[in-house]
Amino acid sequence: MTTVLLVDDDMNILNLVELYLLEEGFHVFKALDGGQALSLLKKHPFDIAVVDVMMPFLDGFELTKEIRQKYDIPIILLTAKDQLHDKEKGFSSGTDDYLVKPFEPKELIFRMKALLRRYARSDDEQSIIQIGQTFIDKRSYEVKTNNRTILLPLKEFDLLYFFMSHPRQVFSREQLIEAVWGIDFEGDERTVDVHVKRLRERFTPLTDDFQIRTVRGIGYSLEVHTE
């Protein structure tokens, strides 16, 4: 049975969404704020978290960061704000998906099931990938290069993992967004450029095992310098 952590300071929304989730066979734990959510996370294993943005004590963005640092579960943020910078902030905090209120509970369930399928596939992927003296571990979210551990924000890690999983292949920005951010991402394609720039700034001084190469007119490719 899939166990859901449902976090919202509006009890009416909690109860309504819980009814739909129970009908779909989910096991639901409810929390009214981020503090309660963190307490539940320490006591119970969860398969997915659905988190409201506007909450007292610890908002959804900060709670998402806390969850992402310690638990490898998909996260959906719920918000009444439909502004692009709010969505960007949500994805930067580590959320996998973003749903604007008011929403249809059935749409939330569709998105939850899609994320759970995506995470199930990722569990089947090769956990550790090595290129030269650089290692990336999907399970621990660690990157090591020349015996030095590098801690990356979630989307930088996911982007690097995707590149290292497909060396020498050329991908367009659109393909990278779909693979790393998901097909529902509504941000600008320049998000890819920003994340590639950050990865280059981090790794170029540390290793010559690989380089993220710009393919003019197409996108990017991971060029491998070692065999």
Side-chain angles (χ1 to χ4, degrees), residues 172-195:
S172 67
R173 291 171 178 82
E174 183 179 354
Q175 288 173 318
L176 292 169
I177 284 178
E178 182 173 341
V180 175
W181 283 266
I183 59 175
D184 294 323
F185 179 66
E186 297 179 2
D188 196 292
E189 287 188 353
R190 286 175 294 181
T191 297
V192 175
D193 301 336
V194 171
H195 282 72

Side-chain angles (χ1 to χ4, degrees), residues 153-215:
L154 177 65
K155 290 307 176 186
E156 286 184 40
F157 179 92
D158 288 343
L159 182 59
L160 180 61
Y161 185 88
F162 184 79
F163 276 130
M164 291 181 65
S165 300
H166 305 86
R168 302 184 181 89
Q169 296 185 43
V170 179
F171 296 96
S172 67
R173 291 171 178 82
E174 183 179 354
Q175 288 173 318
L176 292 169
I177 284 178
E178 182 173 341
V180 175
W181 283 266
I183 59 175
D184 294 323
F185 179 66
E186 297 179 2
D188 196 292
E189 287 188 353
R190 286 175 294 181
T191 297
V192 175
D193 301 336
V194 171
H195 282 72
V196 166
K197 179 181 178 182
R198 290 173 180 168
L199 287 174
R200 285 170 171 167
E201 290 173 347
R202 293 181 193 277
F203 286 94
T204 299
L206 300 177
T207 179
D208 58 0
D209 289 337
F210 62 84
Q211 178 185 14
I212 302 176
R213 180 171 60 92
T214 300
V215 182

Side-chain angles (χ1 to χ4, degrees), residues 36-51:
Q36 291 183 14
L38 291 175
S39 296
L40 287 171
L41 282 160
K42 293 178 181 177
K43 298 175 183 177
H44 307 280
F46 288 97
D47 299 297
I48 188 169
V50 179
V51 177

Side-chain angles (χ1 to χ4, degrees), residues 22-83:
L22 291 175
E23 288 180 0
E24 291 290 325
F26 291 101
H27 186 204
V28 181
F29 285 83
K30 296 181 292 185
L32 285 166
D33 58 53
Q36 291 183 14
L38 291 175
S39 296
L40 287 171
L41 282 160
K42 293 178 181 177
K43 298 175 183 177
H44 307 280
F46 288 97
D47 299 297
I48 188 169
V50 179
V51 177
D52 183 41
V53 168
M54 301 299 294
M55 294 186 298
F57 309 119
L58 189 69
D59 67 23
F61 298 130
E62 293 303 316
L63 177 58
T64 296
K65 291 179 182 178
E66 291 282 340
I67 295 174
R68 187 57 67 209
Q69 288 175 3
K70 300 177 181 177
Y71 307 97
D72 185 19
I73 60 173
I75 304 170
I76 298 178
L77 274 177
L78 306 177
T79 182
K81 298 181 179 180
D82 193 20
Q83 299 298 316

